[in-house]
Amino acid sequence: MAKKPTSNPAKTLYRPIGLASGLIGGAIAGQIFKQVWKHAAPGDRDEPPTPLATDYGLKEILIAAAIQGAIFAVIKTVIDRGGARLFERWTGEWPGN
């Protein structure tokens, strides 16, 4: 189903909502990633590695980054899509293009 073109005012009105939901989504994704890492990491390492951590190998750091990126992308997509649908319900206009 094709959506009608978005008006500039709708995009402008949605911008602060999109920014706020992005921040909230990032915080939620970060917490989910920490829990996933705590349960999935080998050994007794509860904290995920950072790119500059010397006590982790490159392989572990890259795996952690890939998992974190996937979780972030899914959470952000769910929140962005939900926010856009809610915005459309309130205003009658779709905020994207």
Side-chain angles (χ1 to χ4, degrees), residues 23-78:
L23 292 172
I24 292 167
I28 292 170
Q31 292 302 313
I32 291 171
F33 171 65
K34 284 183 180 181
Q35 292 301 313
V36 168
W37 184 262
K38 190 183 294 186
H39 294 292
D44 60 349
R45 297 180 179 186
D46 285 343
E47 289 297 313
T50 61
L52 301 178
T54 59
D55 53 336
Y56 286 90
L58 180 60
K59 181 179 175 182
E60 278 183 299
I61 291 172
L62 292 177
I63 289 170
I67 293 169
Q68 185 176 24
I71 290 170
F72 179 78
V74 168
I75 297 299
K76 182 173 176 4
T77 298
V78 168

